[in-house]
Amino acid sequence: MILPRMGLGSMELSHAYGVAPSPEDGERMLRAALDDGVRLLDTATLYGGGRNEELVGRALRGRRDDAVLASKGGMAMVDGVKTIDGRPATLRAQVDASLSRLGVEHIDLYYLHRWDKSVPIAESVGALAEAVAAGKIGAIGLSEVSVARLREALEAAPIAAVQNEYSLWSRNPELGMLEATRGAGVALVAFSPVARGFLADGVTDPDALAPKDIRRAMPRFQPDHWPANAALLPEWRALAAEAGCTPAQLALAWVLSRGPHVVAIPGTTSLDHLRENQAAESLAVDSALLARAGALIDTATVSGSRYNPAQSAEVDAESFDAAA
């Protein structure tokens, strides 16, 4: 499966970062994104407890062929609690539920959102392979997995994409996944490529974030680490100005420079920001300046882990914390 180099992560239209826009505003933005040429929409069973899939489905009504549609299962809200469940029966039911909420007969790319560590990944992937054979999904993806898990999954079924967090300040794919996906002909889909708004200059004071904003629980936005991270921003802004682009565009250009198989799916609730992000795909930024960006914002310069212990326990991806 060949994916567009840039897509739209739709999570925050329903979930996670503060107060989501109204469903009407979210649908209008998604339709405008399609009008502007966005050709990859990413959603999930988890987002908004299913409401995000419904939103994306409404936006695609009458124009299903305008986009590659990606969703995820294996992590959902169950009785108000986020639950990771990779049992084949659960995944079969979640694929059907995703199809229903989206109002489509076929989802182009369906990810295992998290590996359920109590279920061999071959069993979970096997259930998704059944959905491919039934014509319900076009291809299988994995999210937040390690190289070892990718290799186990590839023994069970073809894998089209791995979606892991990847940005200047979250480099875990460089611990093996960047090369493993390249070698296997698998797309590496980078979520949070502008560092959860940090590299878009979108967070000036974490204390001002909405009470339920998920960044409040992430160490890098907390008082022990935020001052050191915020101190990187003046030089970051200057570097973007030197490149002749916005900070968000420089962050995206860096991610896309990591290989032709790397795809970025920044999310936003703003049509202006979406257009700014999409324009990054056509930027030509000097490789020496990209290298300077990579030296300025790096694992060695950023303070704090990307996840707290509870969040880290949910993922399988390689970690610099574990490697330290």
Side-chain angles (χ1 to χ4, degrees):
M1 168 178 276
I2 299 175
L3 296 175
R5 294 297 309 283
M6 186 87 75
L8 174 63
S10 65
M11 177 182 74
E12 60 194 276
L13 295 174
S14 307
H15 177 89
Y17 292 156
V19 179
S22 70
E24 295 77 15
D25 286 344
E27 184 177 340
R28 275 192 290 271
M29 202 197 89
L30 287 169
R31 286 186 168 271
L34 293 170
D35 291 342
D36 279 5
V38 174
R39 291 296 174 260
L40 172 60
L41 297 181
D42 183 274
T43 181
T45 295
L46 177 73
Y47 302 159
R51 294 190 306 277
N52 194 253
E53 285 183 318
E54 293 170 352
L55 174 65
V56 170
R58 290 194 301 273
L60 280 173
R61 198 169 295 154
R63 51 194 311 181
R64 172 64 185 88
D65 293 338
D66 286 355
V68 175
L69 177 59
S71 193
K72 310 176 194 71
M75 185 161 65
M77 297 303 293
V78 179
D79 297 327
V81 178
K82 182 172 67 174
T83 302
I84 297 172
D85 186 346
R87 292 174 296 176
T90 298
L91 290 170
R92 293 185 193 106
Q94 288 184 353
V95 167
D96 288 343
S98 289
L99 289 166
S100 178
R101 284 190 293 265
L102 287 160
V104 299
E105 296 180 352
H106 178 84
I107 299 168
D108 299 302
L109 175 60
Y110 201 84
Y111 295 91
L112 181 67
H113 203 162
R114 292 290 187 273
W115 172 47
D116 179 347
K117 297 175 183 179
S118 69
V119 178
I121 199 164
E123 293 184 15
S124 299
V125 167
L128 296 181
E130 292 173 9
V132 172
K136 295 179 179 181
I137 65 177
I140 301 168
L142 306 172
S143 179
E144 287 281 46
V145 296
S146 63
V147 172
R149 225 59 56 212
L150 171 61
R151 289 173 176 157
E152 288 176 15
L154 283 167
E155 291 179 0
I159 302 298
V162 170
Q163 184 176 136
N164 282 9
E165 184 173 356
Y166 193 27
S167 70
L168 282 155
W169 87 340
S170 290
R171 305 286 191 95
N172 50 296
E174 295 175 5
L175 292 171
M177 186 58 75
L178 184 64
E179 288 304 319
T181 47
R182 190 198 318 269
V186 173
L188 177 60
V189 179
F191 75 84
S192 297
V194 295
R196 302 187 183 275
F198 174 76
L199 294 176
D201 218 4
V203 182
T204 56
D205 179 7
D207 287 338
L209 296 173
K212 293 186 178 181
D213 192 306
I214 62 172
R215 289 171 289 189
R216 284 184 169 273
M218 294 177 175
R220 292 173 181 172
F221 294 97
Q222 293 177 342
D224 286 349
H225 302 288
W226 175 253
N229 294 329
L232 298 170
L233 289 173
E235 190 173 349
W236 172 248
R237 296 182 194 111
L239 200 58
E242 183 180 342
C245 63
T246 68
Q249 288 173 332
L250 181 56
L252 290 166
W254 183 89
V255 169
L256 293 176
S257 76
R258 306 309 288 165
H261 69 303
V262 177
V263 174
I265 52 167
T268 182
T269 60
S270 161
L271 184 57
D272 287 343
H273 289 164
L274 180 139
R275 289 170 174 160
E276 174 190 339
N277 292 341
Q278 294 295 314
E281 185 178 352
S282 59
L283 285 178
V285 181
D286 180 74
S287 59
L289 194 147
L290 290 174
R292 288 164 57 198
L296 174 64
I297 310 292
D298 190 7
T299 302
T301 63
V302 170
S303 181
S305 303
R306 71 183 182 110
Y307 285 147
N308 65 32
Q311 294 164 331
S312 294
E314 296 176 349
V315 305
D316 178 53
E318 286 82 6
S319 167
F320 279 93
D321 297 326

